[in-house]
Amino acid sequence: MLRRSALVLCAVLLALAPLARARNPADEPPNAVLLVAKPTLLDPNFSQTVVLATQTREAETVGVILNRPTPLKAVDVLPPELPASSYADAMFFGGPVLRQAVVAVFRSAGKPAAPAFHLLEATYLTMHPDNIRALLQPGGGRYRLYIGFAAWAPHQLEGELLRQDWYVLPAVEDDIFREDTSGLWKELLERATGAHAALQRRAARPG
């Protein structure tokens, strides 16, 4: 039963991540999910985390951790040529890969000028400095900055799902940009376990 449920979650993730062969990832259909760490996941990089994840054209999975704010400010991290003083919020720890890299998750009514991953209808993820520079300008829109990101090689995440490390939920903009993320993991864990129980009940029905 658990293995079947994990396979279903793998299918959900893959179904939400069509691999359009576009030059700019922003040309691809939106694809994003929330990975909610199960209490049994003890890896200190991901214990009690919620990860906003998307799949690349190369079938790799990348994303950022939504609920690990740091004491750092943009002026501590951004290069001097970027107007860091315009971003007053905390920098979030996005994941253990390239911890010096700056990543932005942002809203945009239109396709960004520089490459970005298309997450939701009007939400993108980018590491491109041109996009980040535009966001830091006055009126740059709704966005959040991260240092580092999470990444999985092709099929690696499927293995972790089969190992029962994660729950998978649809990505929702209100969760992505929540101001206080301190209770995000517990709230989504409750949401995910409820959905998981419902899935098991449906799978157990005869016929």
Side-chain angles (χ1 to χ4, degrees):
M1 181 73 68
L2 291 177
R3 182 176 176 83
R4 181 190 304 172
S5 298
L7 287 171
V8 170
L9 292 177
C10 283
V12 169
L13 179 67
L14 295 175
L16 288 172
L19 299 181
R21 295 289 174 177
R23 178 169 299 183
N24 187 336
D27 293 328
E28 298 177 357
N31 77 93
V33 294
L34 296 180
L35 302 175
V36 182
K38 294 189 176 183
T40 51
L41 179 56
L42 302 180
D43 180 343
N45 288 313
F46 294 106
S47 177
Q48 298 188 5
T49 61
V50 177
V51 181
L52 173 65
T54 187
Q55 197 172 60
T56 72
R57 299 189 304 278
E58 294 76 25
E60 297 176 342
T61 303
V62 297
V64 290
I65 297 170
L66 296 180
N67 60 327
R68 285 204 176 164
T70 76
L72 298 173
K73 297 294 186 181
V75 292
D76 302 318
V77 176
L78 294 180
E81 63 269 19
L82 293 178
S85 59
S86 64
Y87 185 76
D89 294 340
M91 299 288 296
F92 277 67
F93 174 68
V97 180
L98 293 179
R99 294 172 184 250
Q100 74 278 15
V102 178
V103 182
V105 175
F106 64 102
R107 279 189 49 82
S108 177
K111 186 176 72 174
F117 294 106
H118 198 176
L119 304 178
L120 301 176
E121 182 178 358
T123 305
Y124 297 83
L125 180 150
T126 188
M127 286 178 274
H128 200 287
D130 288 349
N131 284 331
I132 295 174
R133 183 178 292 105
L135 292 169
L136 289 168
Q137 301 302 319
R142 190 179 192 185
Y143 68 101
R144 179 164 288 166
L145 296 181
Y146 300 81
I147 45 176
F149 60 95
W152 291 262
H155 308 299
Q156 181 184 356
L157 181 57
E158 295 174 52
E160 292 184 13
L161 288 168
L162 288 170
R163 202 169 61 221
Q164 302 292 311
D165 286 344
W166 302 95
Y167 289 113
V168 182
L169 290 175
V172 179
E173 186 176 301
D174 286 347
D175 294 330
I176 294 172
F177 292 108
R178 184 176 302 194
E179 289 188 17
D180 181 4
T181 63
S182 59
L184 183 63
W185 177 72
K186 287 186 178 180
E187 178 183 325
L188 294 191
L189 183 65
E190 291 176 0
R191 190 188 306 172
T193 51
H196 183 68
L199 180 66
Q200 288 187 313
R201 286 194 297 271
R202 287 197 297 270
R205 289 174 185 167

